[in-house]
Amino acid sequence: MQSIPPQHLTSSLSVVLLAAGQGTRMRSSLPKVLHTLAGKPLINHVLERAQELDARQRLVVVGHQASRLLEHLKNEQVDTVIQQPQLGTGHALQLCLQNIPNSCDTVLVVYGDVPLLQTNTLQQLIYLCDGQHLALLTEIIEEPHGYGRILRDSSGQVVGIREQKDASQEEQTIREINTGIMALPRSKLDQWLSALTTHNAQGEYYLTDIVQLAHQQGITIHTCQPLYSWEAMGVNSQQQLSYLERAYQRHCAETWQSQGVAISDPNRFDVRGTLHCAQDVSIDVGCIFEGEVVLQEGVKVGPYSLLKNCTVESHTEILAFCHIEGAHIGAHNRIGPYARIRPMSVTQDQVHIGNFVEIKKTTLGQQSKVNHLTYLGDTIVGERVNVGAGTITCNYDGVNKHQTVIEDDVFIGSDTQLVAPVTIATGSTIGAGSTIVSSTPPNQLTLSRSKQQSIARWQRPKPRKS
Ligand code: UD1
Ligand code: MG
């Protein structure tokens, strides 16, 4: 794709996003454009693209389930137009005109259910339109049924678009289709749109009819194609939604692979937000990254882990089946398998957190280990601490949460309960099976269990004879 001089990209642009249609084939009560792809509503993908284009205005046409969409858009900086009833794409744009200032050069028409258009592709269209020509995003596809076909004359000039339902047998063999995405000169729109009629098979105002009008007036009609085949695909059904989800995720995975990230299988990789990877990161199959996730150099993420809004520092290994959310994991840690790290948890370097360990709002100092079957909540753990299997901080009294402090070099024996608030002082050892209800002195063994005894003549209860 040719590079575009920057002055053409900032020329005054209005983006019109059509989203008034019904979307019956989704078979869902949720408006189609609110279904999510990569964890984000379809319409938000399109709005973000418009944002990246530095559009002066973003105008959304709503109609079907308008109130639900207006509610969704209430915190976005967009203008909205209600199209009721929906008399076609030409009608939708007509209703927008009074909201688009004449000072605007180019009007870019996008669909709310076509979520994966790349910014480059849209920039190309805007460049070709340049506020005076007409620019269409077209594609040549194997199965053009259902789409408007691009009509060209013998010299290859575009002369019009014919909708599927109006196309002759011969026209139906044309494989170049209209994606619906186009850039239009604002100065011509009042005239073109007011000339539209409903004399067609669907009795609608077809936006596509402006192409023939433009041709008749000698306006140049440019076309360009998207770089990727999935870019201009729309979502009409759950199947198409999942197809585009995979296309998006695969593209994401391949982009990271090209930057040196080892991704075991790009078909089993999901980013629902923003992932940042440094060099030599490796990601095994089935991982999901949500929100903002940072993986520093040499981090390894084992299979089937979910990481949400977290940072993992360099050379840490996350083993299989971990769930990490809202946490900061230090360098050279070993986490999992089967670890759950909850929000506001922080680990320093060389920490080990093993299987079936849950950590919440807890800080672990350097070289501390919590390897098995443990819950630490609202806890500050010092350095070189060893927390034995089955340790539980009793941080909740039914009303309030209380803090546990475990200072440096502490050894907690297995199956211990630490009833917060409590401090285990430096160098303490806690005997296995203890329930610790008050703070311990440093460097001593503390245990709270009855002395082991054996009862020689003790008999197990026997079942009564009836
Ligand atoms: C349209 C194009 C067709 C193109 C196809 C690509 C026209 C006349 N036809 O056809 O050439 O190949 O898209 O998918 O434009 N919408 C409104 N208000 C309306 C009607 C539609 O906002 O009154 C919105 C829909 O929500 C959707 C978009 O416009 O986002 C396209 O509408 P749709 O009904 O899917 O158009 P097609 O008949 O598929
Ligand atoms: Mg359609």
Side-chain angles (χ1 to χ4, degrees), residues 25 32 111 113 146-147 234 236:
R25 278 187 284 157
K32 176 161 73 172
Y111 293 174
D113 55 1
Y147 291 97
N236 294 301

Side-chain angles (χ1 to χ4, degrees), residues 451-460:
K451 207 166 182 181
Q452 183 169 329
Q453 49 178 321
S454 300
I455 299 167
R457 284 175 300 281
W458 185 79
Q459 299 253 307
R460 281 191 203 168

